[in-house]
Amino acid sequence: MKRFSFVLSLFAVFSMVCSASAGTLDDVKSKGFIQVGVNGDVFGFGKPDEKGVWKGLDVDTGRAIAAAVFGDASKIKFIPLTAVTRFTALQSGEIDVLCRNATRTLSRETALGLNFVQVNYYDGQGFLVPKSLGVKSAKELDGASVCVLPGTTTELNAADYFRSNGIKMKPVVIENTAELAKTFFAGRCDCLTSDASQLAGTRAVAPNPDDYMILPQIISKEPLAPAVRHGDDQWYDIVNLSVLAMINAEELGITSKNVDEMLKSANPKIQRFLGVTPGNGKALGLDEKFAYNIVKQVGNYGEVFERNVGKDTPLKIERGLNALWTNGGLMYSPPFK
């Protein structure tokens, strides 16, 4: 009998844990908005403009989720987080989803209890240096002082790279992204290391961007993706398919400008995707027009990329790995059916 009672107690605890970790969609609907953790200091990915309007690829990813859930991309609250506080904020429930240039890793998916969804930017770590330093390769940085954020994969990657190449570095560790950039531009460290996309954003807001260069070496794989907490499969599916909807829309040639016309398409793939043929929305617990709302209000992945970080922006980033698979990139969506 004692053993049976013990098993019942364990089951009760397990049920409580599952109950606490599930139901994010209901919580979000009850609040009337989604709380999204973002960077706050990286131009092109997550940063308010001079008028206080949030802009960036990660910001638009958050808006896509809001469009899917509410049919309104503006029902969202952005929470700026540092690299150190971002995962704790998600674990504690301070935010509903993290859209903050976070690298998907084994330890974060296991020890931290997070689930990463579809990658929204394939990146790699690099080095930003002043041209006056006179170096052309990261291997010439022996003895350099290196500005780096704590609590990131960047720290370990840099240490591994310098050690494996038999050179030494002097880390200058500063927690805040904006302060890190100021430290670098003030000349307190020889180089700044981070994801290449973040380096491009940092250089874009430098006092004189042409005075700086990103070295050619990419020393790591950094698949950046939104993250949610373990234990709520429905919310994971919603966030995951919100990102995939932008990619799928680009594959199908659907844009924010032609999406209304595409509602009349006879293509069954487009009919299912835009909710003309029902089923996808019901499967997620959302309106059948959830994908339509994402594309109409936020755009497809290509539109989001070009608007925030593309070749016509100050970052001037080529699609590269972030092109569709049909164009030699890694962006690929499973069927929406």
Side-chain angles (χ1 to χ4, degrees), residues 37-57:
V38 292
N39 192 302
D41 289 316
V42 177
F43 183 78
F45 286 84
K47 184 180 177 70
D49 64 13
E50 62 277 359
K51 296 180 181 178
V53 178
W54 281 92
K55 292 185 177 180
L57 189 145

Side-chain angles (χ1 to χ4, degrees), residues 12-25:
V13 171
F14 177 76
S15 298
M16 290 173 62
V17 170
C18 289
S19 175
S21 62
T24 306
L25 178 61

